[in-house]
Amino acid sequence: MTGRRPRILHLTTADMSLALLLGPQLRAFADAGYEVIGASAPGPYRADIEALGVRFVPVEHATRSMAPWKDLRALVELIRLFRRLRPDIVHTHNPKPGLYGRLAAWIARVPVVVNTVHGLYALPEDRAAKRRLVYGLERLASCCSDLELVQNPEDVATLTGIGIPAAKVQLLGNGIDLDRFDPAAASPEDRAAARADLAGDPDRLICGVVGRLVWEKGLREVFDAAAALRSRHPEVQVVVVGPMDPEKADGLGPDDLERIERESGVRFAGERRDMESVYLGMDVFVLASYREGFPRAAMEAAAMGVPVIATDIRGCRQVVDDGVTGTLVPARDAAAIERAIAALAEDPDRRRAMGRAGIQRAAEQFDQRRVIDITLDAYDRLLNK
């Protein structure tokens, strides 16, 4: 490392993850003195990544779809990339880059390999065959890493339980930019404009959903709940914010959106970058996912003072204090989502109390600076080992 800054390469599947999910961290690592490189499949976010002071390198064979042959070609491509760039640290992010990225870094003899577990792709309630496959691959890939940074405490217990040494596993948590997601910085005019933008009618009770348009996010149950609410609570308007994801087998298509809007009254707002303004317009936030690691959107909503209805699964349990900052409901239960939305629609005082509690919880537990500090300490420790 003589004569240059230590070089760190972060590997994800999509450039959107580098720009929107990891962007503040990558900028903080650059400010701390690292030369930071982001690598992923090429996409529309390259300029956003480079605006952070981060060099972007495309991985042509990276894909989010099930494509074993492309994954093998991505492995070979990464080995060559690591040997050419000679990073001091490769930091991978699961699922797929966490597997072939760790292996490629080990083969290329990268000095330090770190992986962040954003959420294991198998849950205790999944079929035994799926658990064996996912846990077996994680155990194998972990042999190629120096450290596993785990966002969710439930995954820490799982990883050590399947035989990954406890000394290699460290709880990371997750965080957001609390300066950005600060409701006190917004004026009443900002809030009114956000509401009109989302629902077209600022007098509606706006129930927001944020995320990629894939069925795994529990959207089927949200749409069923919205359809049922039309007669009982016609003032409720469900608005879904997020991009379509055609690479995923369970992604919704344009025909799905037209049908759903017609049948349930749900509005689709598309992808937005001004998320702090989006949350300003919401009265209630819903996350009905079947699987999460440590959901960022739910943290952002809580920080903006929006009560959160979320499924009672790993990740959501770490964000929502049931009955205090929001409501936890069973996964895959449209009727429970409908009841939870209706209860908050009927009780504005409870919504306001949950919103205040969410802001306080975010201030105490969701600050991204803690995540950045843990990661920087880990880099320093491993480079000096």
Side-chain angles (χ1 to χ4, degrees):
M1 290 187 289
T2 302
R4 67 171 175 87
R5 295 179 294 163
R7 179 177 294 162
I8 178 172
L9 186 149
H10 277 255
L11 175 67
T12 66
T13 309
D15 62 337
M16 179 173 68
S17 298
L18 290 169
L20 302 185
L21 300 183
L22 298 175
Q25 296 182 42
L26 301 183
R27 184 171 52 224
F29 301 152
D31 291 343
Y34 287 89
E35 177 189 351
V36 184
I37 301 171
S40 74
Y45 290 88
R46 178 170 189 157
D48 299 81
I49 296 165
E50 292 177 342
L52 299 168
V54 174
R55 176 183 173 189
F56 177 75
V57 178
V59 182
E60 299 295 340
H61 296 103
T63 174
R64 299 179 66 240
S65 58
M66 293 296 293
W69 284 112
K70 278 196 172 183
D71 294 342
L72 182 59
R73 294 174 73 181
L75 171 67
V76 175
E77 182 181 0
L78 285 172
I79 293 170
R80 292 171 177 166
L81 178 68
F82 296 158
R83 285 175 173 167
R84 175 168 61 86
L85 294 178
R86 298 180 63 190
D88 301 291
I89 303 173
V90 162
H91 191 147
T92 62
H93 299 266
N94 77 335
K96 292 208 299 184
L99 295 175
Y100 58 62
R102 278 178 282 181
L103 180 58
W106 179 77
I107 292 172
R109 298 192 177 186
V110 174
V112 174
V113 181
V114 177
N115 177 58
T116 294
V117 180
H118 294 265
L120 291 172
Y121 263 59
L123 300 171
E125 57 268 26
D126 285 334
R127 300 186 312 274
K130 179 179 180 180
R131 295 199 310 273
R132 283 196 296 269
L133 174 62
V134 171
Y135 296 161
L137 289 172
E138 283 293 333
R139 188 166 55 242
L140 174 64
S142 73
C143 295
C144 303
S145 70
D146 298 283
L147 181 65
E148 300 289 316
L149 292 173
V150 186
Q151 287 193 334
N152 196 285
E154 295 183 34
D155 285 339
V156 170
T158 300
L159 291 172
T160 55
I162 63 175
I164 297 176
K168 188 181 280 193
V169 178
Q170 182 175 358
L171 180 63
L172 176 66
N174 200 2
I176 58 174
D177 183 350
L178 295 179
D179 292 329
R180 178 186 177 192
F181 296 100
D182 178 10
S187 68
E189 291 76 19
D190 293 333
R191 193 175 298 274
R195 294 178 63 78
D197 184 41
L198 278 182
D201 180 356
D203 294 327
R204 301 293 296 274
L205 188 138
I206 302 173
C207 179
V209 179
V210 174
R212 293 175 297 109
L213 302 187
V214 293
W215 292 114
E216 185 186 43
K217 292 294 184 181
L219 294 180
R220 196 180 312 278
E221 289 76 18
V222 171
F223 301 150
D224 289 346
L229 284 164
R230 293 180 83 177
S231 58
R232 182 180 173 190
H233 282 281
E235 77 279 12
V236 173
Q237 175 65 65
V238 176
V239 181
V240 180
V241 179
M244 289 191 288
D245 195 347
E247 278 197 68
K248 300 295 284 187
D250 67 336
L252 282 68
D255 292 341
D256 293 313
L257 271 56
E258 292 179 9
R259 173 182 57 79
I260 292 160
E261 286 183 329
R262 183 175 63 252
E263 294 176 354
S264 67
V266 169
R267 294 191 65 177
F268 291 94
E271 183 178 3
R272 296 279 294 266
R273 299 288 190 93
D274 58 334
M275 291 308 301
E276 61 274 27
S277 296
V278 171
Y279 295 117
L280 265 184
M282 296 180 185
D283 298 291
V284 178
F285 177 84
V286 175
L287 178 61
S289 288
Y290 308 151
R291 182 188 60 79
E292 287 287 342
F294 205 128
R296 180 179 297 270
M299 289 190 291
E300 293 170 349
M304 291 297 293
V306 184
V308 176
I309 297 169
T311 42
D312 189 4
I313 60 171
R314 173 204 62 192
C316 295
R317 286 190 285 263
Q318 281 68 46
V319 175
V320 178
D321 187 354
D322 190 27
V324 179
T325 67
T327 305
L328 292 174
V329 298
R332 304 176 188 268
D333 191 334
I337 295 172
E338 178 198 355
R339 289 192 299 270
I341 295 173
L344 288 177
E346 296 166 359
D347 195 340
D349 290 338
R350 190 178 182 209
R351 292 200 305 271
R352 285 190 288 268
M354 285 183 166
R356 289 192 296 269
I359 293 172
Q360 181 177 348
R361 185 176 178 87
E364 295 172 352
Q365 300 186 25
F366 303 153
D367 192 338
Q368 69 177 2
R369 285 174 291 194
R370 179 181 53 81
V371 175
I372 291 168
D373 289 343
I374 290 173
T375 307
L376 285 172
D377 286 345
Y379 293 165
D380 186 62
R381 181 178 74 251
L382 292 169
L383 285 173
N384 289 310
K385 188 174 179 179

